[in-house]
Amino acid sequence: MRTLIIAEPVGGLSPHQACDEIAATCPGDELTQVAITTGGTGTASCFNGETVVLQTVDPEGRLTEASYVFDPATLQAYIDVCAHPCDPTRSDTFGTGVLIADAVSRGANRIILATGGVHTRDGGTGILIALGAQPLDAAGHPVEPGQQGLAHIASIDTAKLNVPAACAEWVLLIDAALQPADPAFAAFCDVPDGLGIGLGIVWLSKQMHDDTEHVHILPGAQTLLETFGVPALIAETDRVIVATTPDSPTLGLLAEFGATDVEAIVVAPGETLAQKLDR
């Protein structure tokens, strides 16, 4: 039997671990495993490439270690924006910018950011600072980090701009509607508010391209399912098993792709996949 296994992060497991647990219950089947997320933590690990580990900072400025995936064959970098709980008004995305700068130094020209679950509301200004673009107030002083400084931005100093990063193609994967950052900063960027950390990235890209065509904001689950060829795989398989969470859009998307009689393993918070598999 040809069996397609699709798994999200569930019950404390990564998508790959969840796939493997389900696969162990299907002896003798011809298996295809697809690890996905809805656009948040764990997205980078779903893609092939080299895992790069760096020292950086978390959204509150504390030293930490983080990783991303760089595919030298396609010059694409897959980066999870840190989604640790934090004060959304004071935290920022500088640590993510450190990872982006490193990826660009390795030749990446397409940056895929998984933004699902991100708490910071800095409009992507932390990323801008890490890439050499410093937001300033009317007196020419650096503004405070995080959302608290956005309303005071009067200009952005690009004297030290990382030009290759600014010229990159950007993809922001989201798991829900992006949150507003600040209407004043949105007006400064000349784009609608509601782009979350995408505000600063759109501004950055516009400096190089004079348009917004190089920043793409896409739904995470649908994008990953389509990228990994799930619609075609459904047509080629006899059985589809999905490990997902109660609020995930994955089951609805699979129905849209034509999947019928999907074996859904829905793992709620506090539950484990092993419990659902009766193991």
Side-chain angles (χ1 to χ4, degrees):
M1 177 177 289
R2 297 169 300 178
T3 298
L4 172 62
I5 299 172
I6 302 169
E8 302 170 11
V10 292
L13 299 177
S14 73
H16 292 288
Q17 290 172 329
C19 279
D20 289 342
E21 281 218 12
I22 297 170
T25 69
C26 306
D29 286 9
E30 180 184 332
L31 300 177
T32 300
Q33 300 183 31
V34 178
I36 67 164
T37 72
T38 58
T41 300
T43 300
S45 67
C46 295
F47 291 89
N48 294 325
E50 303 170 357
T51 299
V52 181
V53 181
L54 292 179
Q55 290 289 319
T56 184
V57 293
D58 69 12
E60 296 185 317
R62 296 170 296 209
L63 188 65
T64 189
E65 193 174 79
S67 64
Y68 69 93
V69 173
F70 174 58
D71 183 356
T74 61
L75 300 182
Q76 297 190 127
Y78 305 93
I79 301 173
D80 295 344
V81 181
C82 184
H84 292 170
C86 57
D87 180 347
T89 64
R90 297 177 181 276
S91 57
D92 67 23
T93 53
F94 182 86
T96 297
V98 171
L99 303 183
I100 294 169
D102 184 80
V104 171
S105 75
R106 297 171 189 267
N109 56 25
R110 184 176 173 89
I111 309 297
I112 295 88
L113 297 179
T115 70
V118 171
H119 292 267
T120 183
R121 299 287 180 263
D122 76 337
T125 50
I127 290 172
L128 294 185
I129 294 169
L131 299 180
Q134 177 64 60
L136 305 173
D137 63 19
H141 301 137
V143 300
E144 291 183 288
Q147 187 181 40
Q148 62 186 341
L150 296 183
H152 304 290
I153 295 175
S155 63
I156 298 180
D157 182 1
T158 58
K160 298 180 180 180
L161 180 64
N162 184 328
V163 174
C167 291
E169 197 82 8
W170 299 83
V171 177
L172 276 65
L173 300 177
I174 62 173
D175 63 351
L178 288 168
Q179 297 297 313
D182 181 85
F185 183 51
F188 173 87
C189 296
D190 194 27
V191 295
D193 200 5
L195 298 183
I197 67 169
L199 271 178
I201 293 171
V202 170
W203 178 89
L204 181 67
S205 185
K206 285 174 63 178
Q207 305 313 298
M208 297 292 103
H209 303 290
D210 201 30
D211 59 39
T212 61
E213 302 301 313
H214 299 269
V215 181
H216 314 277
I217 299 176
L218 304 173
Q222 180 176 342
T223 300
L224 266 66
L225 289 168
E226 292 176 345
T227 297
F228 298 140
V230 168
L233 290 171
I234 288 172
E236 300 169 354
T237 57
D238 306 305
R239 182 186 186 196
V240 179
I241 306 174
V242 180
T244 185
T245 58
D247 58 351
S248 170
T250 297
L251 291 176
L253 289 168
L254 293 177
E256 292 179 14
F257 295 153
T260 58
D261 299 322
V262 173
E263 298 177 38
I265 307 170
V266 181
V267 183
E271 297 179 330
T272 68
L273 181 58
Q275 290 171 336
K276 292 292 185 173
L277 295 172
D278 295 322
R279 294 173 60 199

